Amino acid sequence: MQEEQQNPTLGPEQGPQQSEQQQLQRHAFGFGFYLKPRLSELIQWAQSSRETSNFTYDLTNLNLSQLAGWVNVIASCTLEQANQWIHELRHDDALRHHLNQLTANSDSAITADLNMGYGRRLGWYALVRALKPRTVVETGVDKGLGSCVLAAALLRNRAEGHPGRYFGTDINP
């Protein structure tokens, strides 16, 4: 018992004590491994984007493939169909023009980007195209980009004989 009191066991939250040099090395490793690669992305985004909420972004080719695979599994459609619907939205010039006009003429034009990337909304679009729901409900509409994407999918479904309705709500009027 006397020996235990002289050499108390450190709890897992404390761990062994590190020297100042070891702490600096860990900070340098953390910065180099986690932060440095993202720092240039952060600076580029801060200089090129006006977004302050509901950030928009483009997906990499790998992310697009993964998203198509996800839609394929969730909606029980073919991978080719999932890719086709994602491509359909990404290359819808009429919708892009409409969104740019709405954004440029809106009260939030100063905090929104033109030619914004759809990001995760590509998956929403593809799911609505695949599942052909009669009703789509969106909570957290924000500026309405997702609303327009969902409505575009519903309109295309309607043109193919599968009508559906959209309902959106947000706590910010």
Side-chain angles (χ1 to χ4, degrees), residues 9-93:
T9 306
L10 294 175
E13 67 280 351
Q14 293 175 325
Q17 296 297 316
Q18 294 183 342
S19 69
E20 192 173 316
Q21 169 104 16
Q22 289 171 318
Q23 288 177 358
L24 286 173
Q25 286 174 333
R26 287 184 53 77
H27 285 112
F29 172 78
F31 179 79
F33 188 79
Y34 293 105
L35 297 178
K36 190 176 180 184
R38 303 281 187 211
L39 194 55
S40 63
E41 291 175 16
L42 173 64
I43 291 168
Q44 181 181 358
W45 170 80
Q47 293 173 340
S48 64
S49 177
R50 297 181 291 191
E51 289 286 340
T52 58
S53 69
N54 203 20
F55 304 108
T56 58
Y57 50 90
D58 288 317
L59 297 178
T60 65
N61 288 334
L62 176 60
N63 293 149
L64 291 168
S65 296
Q66 292 167 335
L67 184 60
W70 178 79
V71 170
N72 161 247
V73 170
I74 299 297
S76 297
C77 64
T78 68
L79 192 56
E80 183 180 335
Q81 287 173 314
N83 277 310
Q84 179 184 344
W85 291 316
I86 290 169
H87 179 84
E88 183 177 84
L89 176 60
R90 291 182 72 217
H91 297 91
D92 186 337
D93 294 334

Side-chain angles (χ1 to χ4, degrees), residues 96-110:
R96 174 71 61 195
H97 179 73
H98 175 72
L99 291 169
N100 283 339
Q101 279 188 316
L102 288 175
T103 300
N105 296 319
S106 74
D107 291 341
S108 53
I110 191 115

